[in-house]
Amino acid sequence: MASPPLPWLKPAFLVGGLSPLALLALQLARDTLGANPIERVLNQTGMLALILLVASLACTPLKVVAGWTWPMRVRKLLGLLGFAYAVLHFLTYVVVDQGLALATILEDIAKRPFITVGFLALVLLVPLAVTSTNRMVRRLGFPVWQRLHRLSYVAASLGVVHFFWRVKKDHTEPLVYGGVLALLFAIRVAEALRKRRARSGAPASAI
Amino acid sequence: MRKKVPEPPSSEITSESLYLRRREFLKSAVLFTGTATGVGGGLQLLSGRPSGTDGGLPSAPGDAPKKKPRGPYDTDEAPTSYDDATTYNNFYEFGLDKGDPAENAHVLKPRPWTVVIDGEVNKPQTVDIDTLQSWFPLEDRVYRMRCVEAWSMVIPWMGFPLAGLLRRVEPTGKAKYVAFTTLKDPKQMPGQRTSVLEWPYVEGLRLDEALNPLTMLAVGLYGRVLPNQNGAPLRLVVPWKYGFKGIKSIVRITLTEQQPPTTWSRSNPREYGFFANVNPEVDHPRWSQATERRIGELRRRPTLPFNGYAEQVASLYSGLDLRRNF
């Protein structure tokens, strides 16, 4: 069942999704980010990337469970916003935190699992962002596009692992994100199983 | 007589369709604003951290910094701002976020306060903090401080060398280590209501490290009494070691024959060793220790061996493999 047009929906999610960035920029300009603003920007952009990616992965399960269709209309936007924050997070680390010290950055990526998985998550998001336009969906064909975009499950999972390994003590918060993600996957799996059963069950009942 | 009601000219009458579209537009605008605010507010709540710049703290010392002659151990580097040094603290007894201690530490009562000194000493005693600090002339010392998380500060401490206190209580021939313990009182230290670390916090030094003239017990910073979040009323400062060795709010000093089980090295021995000497050559498993960010600066700077105090302390570790004994 399609929901009403809701012309304001996407612009509202875009503005809402970008407002933390605007606030961060404002706080940076006013120097109210505390003693270590670079650390704050890193933490916040990373958190926002993860939250928005998990939110984009919640759209389909919401349709399955609650029957809502409007989340599907902001799914792409949420994914792209998440990607944008992930890129900002990475750029903050590379440019501001490490001052473009390439040797150190490459060593970090190669040697430190917590950075390796974070970097891998970002790399996996690139083809998804590139193929996010309707034209690319048509060019690839929906089944191929859909399979490709299942990489988002891997990227979000790696994002949670990256967060988990980053925390020094008290893993409650990353575990909450891991739990939400696991629940979303469980709904997807249950739905896929239900569909398969319905498909194989159909000929038998339709004598 | 009834006056005729003047009718507006037809040009001023809004057509019904336009009127309805306007209502539609207004409705959309309201929904747009509500949704945008909701999404933004939700993201803010989930990702946000307290800024930690307030918390009812006294502002920076009002009197102009006194020009003092440089002491033998002072660095001439510019001190970190008082606000930064007192609002960016790792003190898990008051919360895990660096802004938490400044916000929560006001519940700690640093007076009256007693310190127990015991173990392998000839003169064990329990002493009031004011009596204890009256035994020694208080010195100002500007030290670099390097956190294991790869940030650093420059802090003007006020206190006295630990060696003076240890000599006063006369360590026995068996004493090889000094163990320090923080207050354990969840009423005064709300962070202790969760078990992220084993409470009370315990730190320790080898006796020769404790007797080094650089090692001090601080009771103040920036020429004023130590704020609670910085470890009031008594804390350890060991400038060539990572900051977590500088145990805060000390209630017990025990001289021991065995190496004391220290909190962080027990919690995660792979990442936090007993010695915890600042060493750019030995990486933390999750980040390099080769560089650090001085709080207040944008660019990283190279980390110095023993945090720049190698001349005074490197000899303490001759013959010790600092990669294994990190």
Side-chain angles (χ1 to χ4, degrees), chain B residues 210-228:
Chain B
L211 290 171
N212 187 279
L214 280 176
T215 308
M216 70 187 295
L217 286 172
V219 297
L221 43 72
Y222 296 82
R224 46 164 59 190
V225 172
L226 206 57
N228 288 355

Side-chain angles (χ1 to χ4, degrees), chain B residues 13-323:
Chain B
I13 300 174
T14 311
S15 76
E16 192 189 358
S17 69
L18 196 63
Y19 169 76
L20 288 175
R21 258 193 287 155
R22 184 177 158 273
R23 288 188 56 166
E24 195 57 43
F25 173 77
L26 279 177
K27 200 176 122 201
S28 286
V30 168
L31 288 167
F32 163 87
T33 312
T35 307
T37 314
V39 172
L43 289 172
Q44 218 72 64
L45 265 180
L46 284 166
S47 72
R49 287 284 180 283
S51 71
T53 44
D54 51 11
L57 279 170
S59 54
D63 44 345
K66 292 158 271 177
K67 269 275 173 232
K68 279 211 190 90
R70 243 181 90 188
Y73 305 115
D74 284 357
T75 167
D76 55 4
E77 292 167 76
T80 303
S81 85
Y82 177 85
D83 273 348
D84 286 348
T86 54
T87 56
Y88 192 73
N89 309 96
N90 279 318
F91 198 170
Y92 281 12
E93 280 81 348
F94 297 108
L96 302 184
D97 191 79
K98 288 184 186 59
D100 290 342
E103 218 155 283
N104 301 331
H106 60 90
V107 288
L108 176 77
K109 288 188 200 75
R111 295 287 190 290
W113 190 279
T114 51
V115 181
V116 177
I117 307 165
D118 62 358
E120 294 297 336
V121 291
N122 290 325
K123 296 178 174 172
Q125 47 198 295
T126 300
V127 59
D128 172 72
I129 179 68
D130 291 311
T131 312
L132 190 155
Q133 72 183 55
S134 74
W135 291 340
F136 311 96
L138 295 186
E139 299 173 32
D140 290 296
R141 290 192 188 182
V142 188
Y143 279 166
R144 285 179 290 273
M145 194 198 82
R146 171 64 152 79
C147 177
V148 69
E149 296 165 0
W151 52 265
S152 62
M153 292 187 183
V154 174
I155 300 180
W157 298 106
M158 195 169 71
F160 51 91
L162 173 62
L165 179 62
L166 293 180
R167 291 204 181 96
R168 197 182 162 104
V169 294
E170 294 175 11
T172 70
K174 282 199 211 159
K176 291 200 177 60
Y177 293 91
V178 188
F180 304 85
T181 311
T182 298
L183 176 72
K184 183 182 177 182
D185 181 2
K187 273 198 217 91
Q188 291 189 69
M189 296 182 146
Q192 291 179 336
R193 289 170 208 161
T194 64
S195 50
V196 282
L197 288 173
E198 271 180 66
W199 314 117
Y201 195 95
V202 173
E203 255 309 335
L205 295 171
R206 228 168 46 189
L207 187 58
D208 58 343
E209 297 176 316
L211 290 171
N212 187 279
L214 280 176
T215 308
M216 70 187 295
L217 286 172
V219 297
L221 43 72
Y222 296 82
R224 46 164 59 190
V225 172
L226 206 57
N228 288 355
Q229 63 269 31
N230 292 81
L234 185 72
R235 69 166 288 166
L236 182 68
V237 179
V238 198
W240 72 92
K241 293 178 181 286
Y242 291 121
F244 69 87
K245 292 295 284 187
I247 185 170
K248 302 182 175 105
S249 304
I250 297 168
V251 292
R252 186 179 211 107
I253 300 172
T254 308
L255 282 92
T256 62
E257 209 178 338
Q258 305 294 329
Q259 181 176 308
T262 57
T263 299
W264 271 109
S265 61
R266 250 189 324 169
S267 160
N268 191 346
R270 217 171 66 88
E271 299 194 353
Y272 309 96
F274 174 80
F275 284 98
N277 291 318
V278 175
N279 191 339
E281 307 269 299
V282 178
D283 289 344
H284 185 279
R286 285 179 288 162
W287 54 81
S288 159
Q289 296 288 26
T291 61
E292 67 199 47
R293 170 161 298 109
R294 180 67 50 80
I295 293 301
E297 291 178 357
L298 185 65
R299 299 187 72 105
R300 287 174 169 268
R301 54 168 72 210
T303 287
L304 301 169
F306 298 106
N307 202 23
Y309 300 94
E311 209 181 303
Q312 291 95 328
V313 299
S315 61
L316 293 173
Y317 308 101
S318 55
L320 200 64
D321 177 359
L322 292 175
R323 285 190 174 276

